[in-house]
Amino acid sequence: MSKTKRFVIAGGGISGLTLAIALQRKGLQVTVYEQAFPVRPLGAALVLAGNAMKAFSEIGIDAGVEKAGRVLQKLTIKDQSGNILSETDSVEVSRKFGVINNFAIHRADLHNTLLSYLPPEVVQLGKTCVDFEQSAQGVTILFQDGSSTEADYVIACDGIHSIFRKKLVPASEPRYAGYTCWRAVIDNIPAGVSSTETSESWGPGKRFGIVPLANNRLYWFACLNARRNDPAMRAYKIPDLLSSFQNFHAPVAEILQRTTNDRLIWGDIIDLKPLDRFAFNNIVLMGDAAHATTPNMGQGACMAIEDAAVLANCLSSNTEPATAFRNFESLRLARTRKIVAGSWRLGRIAQVDDPLLMWLRNAVVRVTPAAVMEKQMKFLYDVSFQ
């Protein structure tokens, strides 16, 4: 493949920046166009599983990423009273599968780390794509500021509301999962919080997650069953969350009390019903633009990072990019479809609000053999990038 072809990446989030690094390391010419100026990473923080760390290693930037985050030792599911339903030894998982697992990182720290691998001119900020035209010769991208650019090939990494996907697959509208979520990062951590454990506590139609971060910070999230785009949920502040989670175990209340309203990030939980294709001649969809998933398996960012490693390898082979895009599609469709479906099911289970179903759920989780969890992890970590 000619190295002179110009690749444009639409979107400078985790997927777009990771891909830009991977493509540059393959010797390809790439420019990233990002609508934000400056970049303000949303979502507060994330936990990356071993498959994402394995993909960073494939690209060659795992050491830099590891320095910016924190490896946690346990992953625990609890009921609202704090009783343990399930506990995973992340250290043992890492040893068994040979990958770093349960890796927590602030989104801003991950973005800054990824940006540090790219020359400044590669990422163009303040460029909101509003339309595009594709021809046999390439793709013309139109921006909100009235400018445009030409590309031989485009990788759409512009998220679940992707302009490219909406035009290429008009029926692909995000679907609502039935629950809404608040997130925040605090740096005044209560004394009772374990610094080595990721935890998620399940109550009636509600969940609360706690994730320690590097530099003595803590990320938390809270989910509630609700109507889509509910004005009451949009207006929620810390006192409302304290009321909703008043029956949860310590230190949930203290974490909320130490959070200021200006740090709250709110949004409904949505995903995409799996698509039948990602490749469209000179354009390919990647990350959330292609297969957005609910966060229940912690695989949204992980799948995007995997995508970057796989697509870079496809493009580095001796095939035309359009063929490489189709090869990427064939490698990624089934795996991402399985993740989206599994995460959707897990969310339905975790958000159960019927008392009898909650009791049954908790009982099943308690007695589920470790081998079942290990089988799921094996599927995640046995990822191929070729």
Side-chain angles (χ1 to χ4, degrees):
M1 183 182 69
S2 172
K3 302 288 186 178
T4 61
K5 297 291 186 180
R6 182 172 182 244
F7 292 85
V8 159
I9 298 172
I14 291 170
S15 60
L17 295 180
T18 304
L19 178 64
I21 297 165
L23 294 187
Q24 282 221 320
R25 293 190 167 208
K26 300 293 187 183
L28 303 179
Q29 296 181 17
V30 59
T31 304
V32 179
Y33 290 97
E34 164 58 36
Q35 65 178 350
F37 185 82
V39 176
R40 293 186 177 90
L42 298 177
L46 65 161
V47 179
L48 298 177
N51 53 319
M53 305 308 290
K54 194 173 178 180
F56 279 137
S57 178
E58 174 75 10
I59 296 167
I61 59 174
D62 50 317
V65 172
E66 288 167 25
K67 290 178 183 177
R70 181 174 192 170
V71 179
L72 300 172
Q73 296 175 10
K74 288 195 301 182
L75 171 60
T76 307
I77 305 296
K78 306 175 183 180
D79 65 18
Q80 67 179 25
S81 298
N83 301 308
I84 294 176
L85 302 178
S86 171
E87 188 172 76
T88 302
D89 184 339
S90 298
V91 176
E92 176 60 20
V93 170
S94 296
R95 185 199 65 76
K96 190 159 194 173
F97 292 98
V99 294
I100 288 177
N101 181 57
N102 202 5
F103 178 80
I105 187 168
H106 196 294
R107 280 185 179 267
D109 294 341
L110 180 55
H111 270 79
N112 289 336
T113 299
L114 296 175
L115 285 168
S116 72
Y117 286 100
L118 294 168
E121 66 274 11
V122 168
V123 182
Q124 302 295 311
L125 301 179
K127 289 292 186 180
T128 301
C129 175
V130 293
D131 199 5
F132 67 93
E133 295 296 336
Q134 181 173 200
S135 68
Q137 288 70 46
V139 184
T140 301
I141 303 174
L142 308 176
F143 297 107
Q144 194 173 57
D145 62 9
S147 64
S148 63
T149 192
E150 302 291 331
D152 295 299
Y153 300 94
V154 172
I155 302 100
C157 299
D158 52 340
I160 192 169
H161 301 293
S162 170
I163 291 294
F164 289 86
R165 191 195 68 252
K166 286 179 180 178
K167 188 169 182 177
L168 294 166
V169 192
S172 61
E173 289 296 322
R175 60 180 179 177
Y176 180 47
Y179 43 99
T180 196
C181 188
W182 294 262
R183 304 172 175 90
V185 171
I186 62 173
D187 50 20
N188 51 343
I189 304 173
V193 174
S194 170
S195 62
T196 62
E197 174 190 70
T198 304
S199 70
E200 189 170 305
S201 301
W202 295 356
K206 60 186 74 175
R207 281 180 284 167
F208 198 92
I210 302 173
V211 182
L213 300 173
N215 302 317
N216 200 36
R217 294 171 296 176
L218 181 140
Y219 165 57
W220 63 261
F221 62 88
C223 296
L224 287 176
N225 289 350
R227 295 176 301 160
R228 186 169 194 169
N229 199 24
D230 189 334
M233 299 294 103
R234 182 186 295 274
Y236 252 46
K237 302 299 181 188
I238 293 299
D240 303 299
L241 290 170
L242 280 166
S243 177
S244 293
F245 289 89
Q246 62 182 322
N247 294 325
F248 272 57
H249 62 85
V252 169
E254 192 172 356
I255 289 171
L256 290 171
Q257 289 164 352
R258 295 189 178 207
T259 307
T260 54
N261 288 323
D262 62 300
R263 293 200 173 190
L264 283 179
I265 299 170
W266 169 78
D268 283 341
I269 299 299
I270 55 178
D271 77 350
L272 286 176
K273 185 178 178 180
L275 305 180
D276 293 326
R277 59 186 295 201
F278 299 155
F280 300 84
N281 301 319
N282 291 4
I283 300 171
V284 68
L285 307 176
M286 201 190 94
D288 281 355
H291 46 70
T293 180
T294 55
N296 303 296
M297 291 176 62
Q299 282 294 309
C302 296
M303 287 293 104
I305 295 162
E306 279 189 14
D307 281 354
V310 173
L311 183 54
N313 286 341
C314 287
L315 286 166
S316 69
S317 64
N318 294 318
T319 58
E320 282 302 304
T323 302
F325 288 173
R326 291 193 295 273
N327 291 343
F328 166 81
E329 176 186 273
S330 68
L331 289 170
R332 299 301 292 165
L333 273 174
R335 180 171 171 84
T336 56
R337 180 183 292 268
K338 185 171 182 177
I339 293 294
V340 170
S343 187
W344 184 270
R345 286 194 301 270
L346 181 57
R348 289 296 185 95
I349 293 168
Q351 291 293 138
V352 162
D353 56 9
D354 178 86
L356 176 58
L357 292 178
M358 284 177 55
W359 182 87
L360 288 171
R361 175 200 66 192
N362 292 356
V364 169
V365 173
R366 282 194 187 97
V367 300
T368 298
V372 175
M373 180 67 73
E374 186 172 308
K375 183 178 180 181
Q376 175 65 42
M377 289 182 176
K378 184 172 174 31
F379 164 72
L380 288 177
Y381 300 159
D382 282 354
V383 57
S384 172
F385 303 106
Q386 302 289 344

